[in-house]
Amino acid sequence: MEPDGTDRLFVYGLLLQGEREHGLLEGAQLLGEARTAPEHTLVDLDFYPVLLIGGNVAVVGELYSVSRELRFKLDVHHQCPALFRRVGVNLADGTRAETYVMDDDKVRGKRRLRGGSWRGRFEPRKSSVPPGPMTEYARKRFS
């Protein structure tokens, strides 16, 4: 239960610690790392991520306690409700928090981040195809 006048906010992209917009959370209390329930889709728009309602990904992020005044400032920054919407989401620990989402029709054709992590977007993808004979040859030859 949060103190009166504050709300729990789940952040997953540029508001994370170390990211370029984290300063917007000045005055907010970090409650810890968090993960959503696997009910979402995370989309890479090149310059920032977007959370979509629906899907099967558990999105990695951080949980903050923010004042209603700060939440209003973040709404303005996120152009809420014109570009983003602020909605409640289920977290993996069974609690709920608010976060910013975008409608699917605004991000058609953009890359989905199956790992659920904005910071992990550059990690190499694991192939489900077993290595072929040339891969085995190259590993032996050049190791």
Side-chain angles (χ1 to χ4, degrees), residues 47-62:
F47 39 91
Y48 62 85
V50 170
L51 186 76
L52 304 178
I53 298 295
N56 58 4
V57 173
V59 177
V60 177
E62 297 168 349

Side-chain angles (χ1 to χ4, degrees), residues 57-132:
V57 173
V59 177
V60 177
E62 297 168 349
L63 190 62
Y64 286 86
S65 177
V66 297
S67 67
R68 299 230 167 109
E69 179 183 325
L70 177 55
R71 190 185 68 178
F72 176 74
K73 289 177 183 177
L74 292 169
D75 284 354
V76 171
H77 176 76
H78 282 92
Q79 300 175 35
C80 188
L83 184 60
F84 283 89
R85 291 182 298 124
R86 184 173 27 85
V87 300
V89 293
N90 297 317
L91 299 179
D93 66 3
T95 62
R96 289 185 58 82
E98 292 185 327
T99 195
Y100 292 97
V101 301
M102 194 177 278
D103 294 325
D104 190 40
D105 60 336
K106 295 177 181 172
V107 296
R108 291 202 197 293
K110 298 297 182 179
R111 180 171 76 117
R112 275 37 181 176
L113 299 174
R114 286 180 260 167
S117 172
W118 171 246
R119 290 183 172 149
R121 67 193 178 279
F122 298 123
E123 292 176 2
R125 296 182 184 164
K126 304 247 190 259
S127 175
S128 60
V129 178

